[in-house]
Amino acid sequence: MPGKEEHDPAPIRTALSREDGIDLDIIELLFFAYRDFTSDPDQILAADGFGRAHHRVLHFVNRMPGLTVAELLEVLKITKQSLARVLKQLIDTGHIVQLPGPKDRRQRELYPTGRGRALALALARPQSRRIDAALKETGREKRDVIERFLKAMVNPDLRAQIDNLPGRPGTVGSDDG
């Protein structure tokens, strides 16, 4: 809670506006875009009793098979406790397998199973269609601008982490060279 403003129980009946120096329109658009971007996967996940945390774990394990638990914690910026329940469910339901590391058997490497890969793709397809439709509506030539904008929204000290993800343009294992 920023500051210790005096608590005034009287209702405020005027909406926040741009006069406050905050770009509320963009903030609202991000809220609405996120709501709709996650709505289709949320329905698919709910059928298995899963939520968005499961989606994030599945996404990154599928993007980076062999990712260690420690690396996943770093990517997601969550605690071991937060990951433990979600990961256990994904392992117990046969979506992910956990194997000891080849060099350090204490490390746990995570791999998708066929079932986990199928679910990750089922979650990504409607999101990909939504992105594709938005790019068609705004113009495909804007893709680079949109990517740069989204990356700029990430904390500066964490942007290199994005560049190092497998499959990203310019990284080892990407399709561009």
Side-chain angles (χ1 to χ4, degrees):
M1 285 191 235
K4 286 225 174 194
E5 292 85 30
E6 200 169 308
H7 179 68
D8 181 359
I12 298 173
R13 301 199 186 272
T14 57
L16 286 174
S17 70
R18 286 187 79 99
E19 295 167 17
D20 298 299
I22 300 171
D23 197 335
L24 297 169
D25 297 336
I26 296 291
I27 292 170
E28 281 176 4
L29 286 172
L30 284 169
F31 280 134
F32 291 133
Y34 181 73
R35 176 199 65 195
D36 293 349
F37 182 71
T38 56
S39 65
D40 294 320
D42 283 350
Q43 289 176 2
I44 295 166
L45 290 160
D48 287 326
F50 293 159
R52 291 181 187 163
H54 298 86
H55 186 181
R56 287 187 292 274
V57 170
L58 270 172
H59 173 82
F60 286 107
V61 169
N62 274 279
R63 284 286 283 178
M64 299 180 273
L67 181 74
T68 66
V69 170
E71 290 167 335
L72 182 59
L73 289 169
E74 181 62 26
V75 167
L76 296 176
K77 296 292 183 205
I78 59 174
T79 64
K80 282 183 187 177
Q81 185 177 353
S82 299
L83 178 60
R85 178 189 60 82
V86 169
L87 189 55
K88 181 178 180 344
Q89 287 176 314
L90 290 168
I91 291 169
D92 290 349
T93 56
H95 290 89
I96 290 177
V97 293
Q98 181 176 267
L99 303 173
K103 294 179 184 163
D104 183 348
R105 307 218 23 101
R106 293 171 298 177
Q107 280 191 326
R108 295 174 293 152
E109 293 183 348
L110 303 172
Y111 295 89
T113 63
R115 185 176 189 183
R117 175 67 47 94
L119 180 55
L121 288 171
L123 298 170
R125 280 187 189 102
Q127 291 183 315
S128 183
R129 285 192 296 268
R130 187 175 293 277
I131 290 167
D132 191 50
L135 287 171
K136 282 179 183 168
E137 192 172 318
T138 59
R140 289 211 170 272
E141 69 281 357
K142 299 223 171 39
R143 180 186 178 100
D144 183 55
V145 173
I146 294 166
E147 281 191 33
R148 286 193 326 242
F149 168 78
L150 291 171
K151 187 175 176 184
M153 293 282 293
V154 174
N155 287 337
D157 58 327
L158 300 176
R159 291 178 192 161
Q161 188 179 53
I162 295 166
D163 293 334
N164 294 325
L165 292 175
R168 299 284 309 164
T171 61
V172 176
S174 69
D175 295 331
D176 71 341

